[in-house]
Amino acid sequence: MKTLEMMNKEADAVIFKWSAGGMLGNALFLPPFDYVAEAAAMAKMGYEISKVYGLQIGTTELKEIAKTVLKGIGAVGTAGRVALGILKYVPGVNVGVLFIQPPLVAALSYATGKTYKNYCVSLLISDRKLTNDEIKRIAKQAYTDKRKEKTV
């Protein structure tokens, strides 16, 4: 039987893998396909994290968590992400965006993964779902921490 520490390490590996995957998908595709690739990566990440903890969290619930994460990160994080996505179409600027936007996507993916992880741990340990306010707080802190770090 896996310990919580082992599950947490395994979940961190999943978060790293899918954060890198979301970043790569963002670099390879133009809007709106980059958003589709990122959303798919985040959904798959949530599913894999729930499996690490031996939980079955449905797609609808994972989507709701992801939406709440975006609300927690706030207008600055999501507006910046959308604005940079639009700049991918501007000749001469689009190359620079390819270097700026992927780390933002990685930070968003990381925050989403950390939130999924905390959600699963709460369910596993106390059989309690996190509230929307808790999800927002966790997501905002994880996003801020990852943006300061500037790495995946």
Side-chain angles (χ1 to χ4, degrees):
M1 187 166 141
K2 292 190 277 186
T3 66
L4 183 59
E5 183 179 344
M6 292 166 63
M7 289 185 275
N8 284 338
K9 285 182 182 180
E10 193 175 333
D12 286 339
V14 170
I15 293 166
F16 179 82
K17 176 179 81 173
W18 287 104
S19 292
M23 191 168 67
L24 180 63
N26 174 266
L28 294 176
F29 301 109
L30 287 173
F33 304 108
D34 58 346
Y35 295 108
V36 173
E38 293 162 28
M42 288 182 203
K44 180 70 174 156
M45 176 175 53
Y47 175 78
E48 284 190 22
I49 290 171
S50 70
K51 290 295 180 194
V52 166
Y53 292 98
L55 301 170
Q56 291 185 349
I57 299 175
T59 306
T60 303
E61 193 169 349
L62 291 171
K63 285 179 186 176
E64 287 304 313
I65 294 167
K67 286 179 192 175
T68 307
V69 166
L70 289 175
K71 291 175 187 173
I73 290 169
V76 175
T78 51
R81 166 70 186 89
V82 171
L84 286 170
I86 293 168
L87 290 176
K88 279 186 176 181
Y89 287 111
V90 179
V93 176
N94 54 359
V95 174
V97 170
L98 291 176
F99 294 103
I100 297 168
Q101 192 173 11
L104 292 175
V105 172
L108 175 60
S109 298
Y110 175 83
T112 305
K114 285 295 183 181
T115 305
Y116 284 143
K117 178 181 167 183
N118 280 280
Y119 191 86
C120 289
V121 169
S122 179
L123 279 173
L124 188 67
I125 291 177
S126 60
D127 196 30
R128 183 183 76 82
K129 294 180 179 183
L130 297 176
T131 66
N132 284 346
D133 287 340
E134 290 171 317
I135 290 170
K136 289 176 189 176
R137 181 184 48 75
I138 291 165
K140 185 176 183 179
Q141 186 62 53
Y143 183 78
T144 302
D145 291 348
K146 185 51 82 174
R147 290 284 301 130
K148 287 179 185 174
E149 195 179 298
K150 303 223 186 223
T151 60
V152 176

